[in-house]
Each structure stands twice: as structure tokens, then as C-alpha cells.
Amino acid sequence: RADRAVRARPTLMPPRRRNGLIDHAGRVALNAYQLAGATVWACEVLGFYFLFAPSVDDAGARVGAMIAYGALAATATVAFFSAAATDPKARVADGEEDDAKEKMLYCRFCEATVYAGAKHCRDCDKCVDGFDHHCKWLNNCVGVRNYRSFFVLVSATFTQVSGQVVAGTYLLGWLASDEDRARAYIATNATYVGQGVTYASLIGGLCAYIALGGVLLYIVGELFTFHVALCHKGLSTYEYIIAERTIAADLRAVAVERGEDPNDIVVRTNVCRLCYLDEAYAPEKPASRAAAPGTASESKKATAEEKKVAKAQVKAEKVIAKNKSKGAAASQQKRDESPPPVKREEALGDFDEELQKKSDARGASRKLVAH
């Protein structure tokens, strides 16, 4: 992606996928991560209904727990399909008015002008509005269109798994501390008897179930905490990674000055580093175009001079838009006269270098202002 720069365009390929479930040809196509995740999640759900639910002696409490857990599992399922089935493709910017009001970027991979904040994803082979990251478990990009569904999915799964680990640990403790009563209950429980569950098999199943839940809790818990911290900081995953790259670049420069090996410094990302991220490295957010009045009475107090200034600004914006529309034809002609296509790998390498240079310059300017 370049700011309307005329460069050699790469050999373009058709978009690989419409979303995380459908490929560009309209066929259902799931990856290995989706199938593995669905299998593990199904095991968690079945384990609750066949191991945990029958252990609740009170019928009312058992039904209530089953309904609550079912609602939580349904929420995670709907959120998954919503996030995976959404096409996060960026909007194509067109129109003189929009072009004048907002900074645009020309993507030479998509051969289209998109809004600032969009990023071209290599895996999806298209620009994504408000790009956060490419999720291999969804087989789709997470952007402004499906971030809410993604966050609901992570939150619901975290709540589901953590509750099951706690319940499984409690049930295992009860089986170990009151063996006689536990054996009698298992022998008279219709569900356990019908499934052929014994005291030893129940303990073995619970141990395996808790171990699986512990692994999932670590993975999903870290992801949940990371995105909660991102929301608190007002950052996306991509913006945070760019900030960490800038920090690593600055540390490499200091290492060179000290005569140390800069290759020992690598980009590190984790929740702790995110929480203590220096504000000097945070990406610049677009300022609001106009401050909204606090009350209706305050808006009526605008002076005639302020109205004149506002009209002058509108007129200036129209003039700018008109001038930019005149240059659109010339820009298109330059793009048409661009050099022949180059290899896609070379173009992607140049693209990453441009991004890194911009982020380094932004980080340096922010630190200068901070000091």
C-alpha cells in the first residue's frame, strides 16, 4: 500500500476467499485449525452434559445449569459463524467529497483506493478496513466489521472453559474426599448406569477433561486478556505490533552505537509489554473534525463571525475537492503508464519496508515531542 504512489504493480491474483467459510469460487472450504478447534470445543460441550450435569443431584439445579451452559455455548457458536462468515473487505473510496474530507490510500495489490486505516492482508489477498489481525482459527481477517463478533466469541469461550475447569476440579475433589458416597451415587444414577460409567472411569475422564480444559484456558485466557488490554489502550493488534517493531528498531540503533550486536534484539509481544507500552510509540489517532456543542443552548450562541468561518471552510473544501478531481485523470494516466508487473514476493517485500519506515519515522517524531 502506498499513498497514491505510482510504482511497479505486482501480478495480481483473484481473492483467495470471500470469508472464513467460503472461498472465492463460492465453495465451502474449512482449514485444519477450524476443524481441530470445532472438534475440541465439541468434546468440551459433550463432556459437560455427560460428565458434569449428571453429577448435580438436585433436578432443578441440574436443568438450570444445562440451560445456562447451553445458552453460553449457543452464543459462542453464533459469534463464531458471524465472525467467520463476514467479508472484512475494505470499502473502495470514491467520490470527490469523500476524497476531500479524508485521507485516501492507493493499494497496488487490489488496484483500488481505500480509506486510511485499511491494510492489505497477504493471507486473504485483499484490503481490510480497521485491520486487527488474520485469525487462523476463523480462517478470516478480523477487522472493523467483525471485531465485535470475534470479541464475543473469545469472551464466551473463556467463560465457558473457565467454568468447566472450576466445576471439574470441584467434582474431582468431591469424588476423592467422599469415596463411599460417590460410589453409591454413581451406582444409582440412571445416566451414569446407562452409560456404563464407574467410579474409576469417571475419575479418569475428569482428569483428562480438566487437563484439556487447562490447556484451553491458558490459550483462550491469554487471548481474552490481550484483547481486553488492547481495548483499554484503544489499539488494534496490528498497531501494537507496529509499535513493538518501532521499539525494536530503536533498540537496535542504540545497540549499534554501543558496539553491540543488533541481531540479538527481537520483536516481543505479550500482555505485560502491552500494558506498559510507552505512549510515545502509540499510533496517532485522527482528531475529530469539529467539537460537538455540549447543549442546544450553547449551539445557538454561535456568533455570526463563527458562521462565516464555517462557510469559508466549506467553500475551501469544495475548491480542494475540485482541484483533486482534476488531478485524478492525470494520476490514472500515470498508473496506466506504470512499469510492467513484478514478482509478488518482491512487491510484498517493498510494501513491508515502506510500512516499517513510516512507523519508525512516526515513533521518532512522537518521542521528540514527548521529550
Side-chain angles (χ1 to χ4, degrees):
R1 186 178 65 186
D3 295 354
R4 298 185 180 279
V6 180
R7 295 178 179 270
R9 291 177 294 183
T11 303
L12 297 176
M13 297 173 58
R16 294 174 183 159
R17 309 189 61 83
R18 293 182 185 177
N19 51 50
L21 305 175
I22 308 296
D23 64 10
H24 70 279
R27 298 166 299 193
V28 176
L30 307 178
N31 66 4
Y33 290 99
Q34 287 175 306
L35 297 175
T39 302
V40 173
W41 183 80
C43 291
E44 288 286 306
V45 175
L46 293 175
F48 174 83
Y49 285 104
F50 288 102
L51 289 178
F52 291 155
S55 66
V56 181
D57 190 19
D58 183 74
R62 180 169 61 252
V63 173
M66 294 173 67
I67 293 175
Y69 184 84
L72 191 62
T75 300
T77 303
V78 172
F80 169 80
F81 281 104
S82 176
T86 299
D87 185 0
K89 185 177 180 180
R91 301 165 297 159
V92 176
D94 55 359
E96 298 180 3
E97 185 177 355
D98 290 340
D99 194 40
K101 287 184 177 181
E102 207 169 335
K103 183 181 178 183
M104 304 297 176
L105 300 171
Y106 179 76
C107 177
R108 52 200 172 101
F109 300 103
C110 298
E111 291 189 316
T113 302
V114 296
Y115 290 90
K119 178 189 177 296
H120 190 92
C121 175
R122 297 188 185 188
D123 296 295
C124 294
D125 197 21
K126 56 187 171 186
C127 285
V128 177
D129 269 334
F131 179 82
D132 188 87
H133 70 287
H134 182 86
C135 180
K136 56 189 178 182
W137 301 102
L138 294 175
N139 200 18
N140 197 17
C141 271
V142 177
V144 68
R145 294 186 180 181
N146 59 350
Y147 184 82
R148 288 186 178 180
S149 299
F150 167 78
F151 189 77
V152 170
L153 170 63
V154 173
S155 303
T157 305
F158 172 72
T159 305
Q160 175 185 346
V161 174
S162 58
Q164 288 183 245
V165 170
V166 172
T169 304
Y170 174 81
L171 180 57
L172 186 62
W174 174 72
L175 291 173
S177 61
D178 197 350
E179 182 178 347
D180 294 336
R181 184 182 175 188
R183 286 181 179 274
Y185 181 79
I186 294 172
T188 57
N189 185 280
T191 303
Y192 285 149
V193 172
Q195 297 171 2
V197 176
T198 63
Y199 178 80
S201 64
L202 182 57
I203 289 182
L206 282 175
C207 290
Y209 195 78
I210 293 173
L212 176 61
V215 174
L216 290 177
L217 184 60
Y218 173 77
I219 297 173
V220 180
E222 185 179 25
L223 183 63
F224 173 75
T225 307
F226 181 74
H227 279 275
V228 168
L230 284 176
C231 293
H232 177 71
K233 289 281 187 178
L235 300 175
S236 67
T237 302
Y238 177 69
E239 290 171 338
Y240 170 61
I241 291 175
I242 290 297
E244 288 289 2
R245 287 181 180 178
T246 306
I247 293 173
D250 291 344
L251 292 176
R252 291 190 188 105
V254 173
V256 171
E257 293 178 359
R258 295 178 177 177
E260 301 173 355
D261 186 6
N263 295 322
D264 293 337
I265 300 173
V266 296
V267 178
R268 297 177 180 175
T269 58
N270 55 58
V271 178
C272 293
R273 290 180 62 87
L274 170 60
C275 293
Y276 293 98
L277 180 67
D278 191 339
E279 292 297 331
Y281 290 96
E284 186 175 347
K285 298 294 182 181
S288 58
R289 296 178 184 173
T295 60
S297 59
E298 291 179 0
S299 62
K300 294 180 180 178
K301 294 180 181 179
T303 62
E305 186 65 27
E306 290 174 338
K307 293 181 179 180
K308 290 181 181 180
V309 172
K311 290 182 179 179
Q313 290 177 346
V314 172
K315 186 176 180 180
E317 288 178 356
K318 291 182 178 179
V319 173
I320 293 173
K322 186 176 180 180
N323 292 336
K324 287 190 175 182
S325 64
K326 290 180 180 179
S331 299
Q332 183 63 38
Q333 183 178 0
K334 289 181 180 179
R335 287 197 291 270
D336 293 338
E337 296 174 356
S338 60
V342 297
K343 290 183 178 179
R344 187 175 187 81
E345 292 76 12
E346 297 178 5
L348 288 170
D350 296 339
F351 167 64
D352 282 343
E353 289 180 5
E354 289 179 10
L355 277 181
Q356 189 59 53
K357 288 179 181 178
K358 289 181 181 179
S359 63
D360 291 345
R362 183 173 58 190
S365 63
R366 283 182 165 275
K367 287 192 297 182
L368 208 61
V369 172
H371 290 303

